[in-house]
Amino acid sequence: MANQGIQIKLDNECPLQSDYQDLLASILEEDHDANVLQYETFCQSYNIIAAYDQDKLVGLGRAVEQMDDSKSGSPACELTVLQQYRNREVDSYMRKLLSVR
């Protein structure tokens, strides 16, 4: 069987809470000390992005307001991507999209 590769769909709407819980469970399985946001906090963020492989949620990101006086020109981002997708540039693409919104 040929490898068809992944197809990542990016969405700027909050994912279903059940998809969020599935992603959270997978992340905590990979890293028990992972710092993850509550669903409500994530969905209330002003600029969010969700990455899907087929219909499976594989990553979340949000732009956060910087609390210091630095004028770096780019917003700070918080990203969470499943381990098996981190070497596929999903996180870097999400970061780029969050920085231009």
Side-chain angles (χ1 to χ4, degrees):
M1 177 184 262
N3 182 0
Q4 295 179 358
I6 64 170
Q7 295 180 354
I8 300 295
K9 175 184 89 171
L10 298 171
D11 194 352
N12 64 346
E13 295 191 13
C14 205
L16 295 174
Q17 189 165 7
S18 59
D19 291 343
Y20 181 87
Q21 294 300 329
D22 290 345
L23 177 66
L24 179 65
S26 296
I27 288 169
L28 290 174
E29 188 176 295
E30 293 172 354
D31 180 1
H32 298 291
D33 297 323
N35 184 18
V36 293
L37 290 173
Q38 295 298 315
Y39 181 75
E40 294 79 16
T41 304
F42 178 78
C43 290
Q44 291 173 0
S45 300
Y46 74 95
N47 193 0
I48 62 174
I49 194 164
Y52 295 86
D53 183 4
Q54 306 301 318
D55 289 326
K56 178 183 176 184
L57 182 64
V58 298
L60 292 172
R62 73 180 189 141
V64 294
E65 295 180 29
Q66 295 184 3
M67 301 305 257
D68 61 11
D69 293 332
S70 68
K71 308 235 189 279
S72 64
S74 62
C77 298
E78 290 181 349
L79 297 174
T80 300
V81 178
L82 290 177
Q83 181 68 35
Q84 63 264 34
Y85 292 88
R86 291 184 190 155
N87 292 334
R88 299 178 182 183
E89 298 185 24
V90 173
D91 51 343
S92 63
Y93 190 53
M94 291 171 66
R95 187 177 306 279
K96 285 178 189 177
L97 288 174
L98 283 171
S99 69
V100 296
R101 290 186 177 184

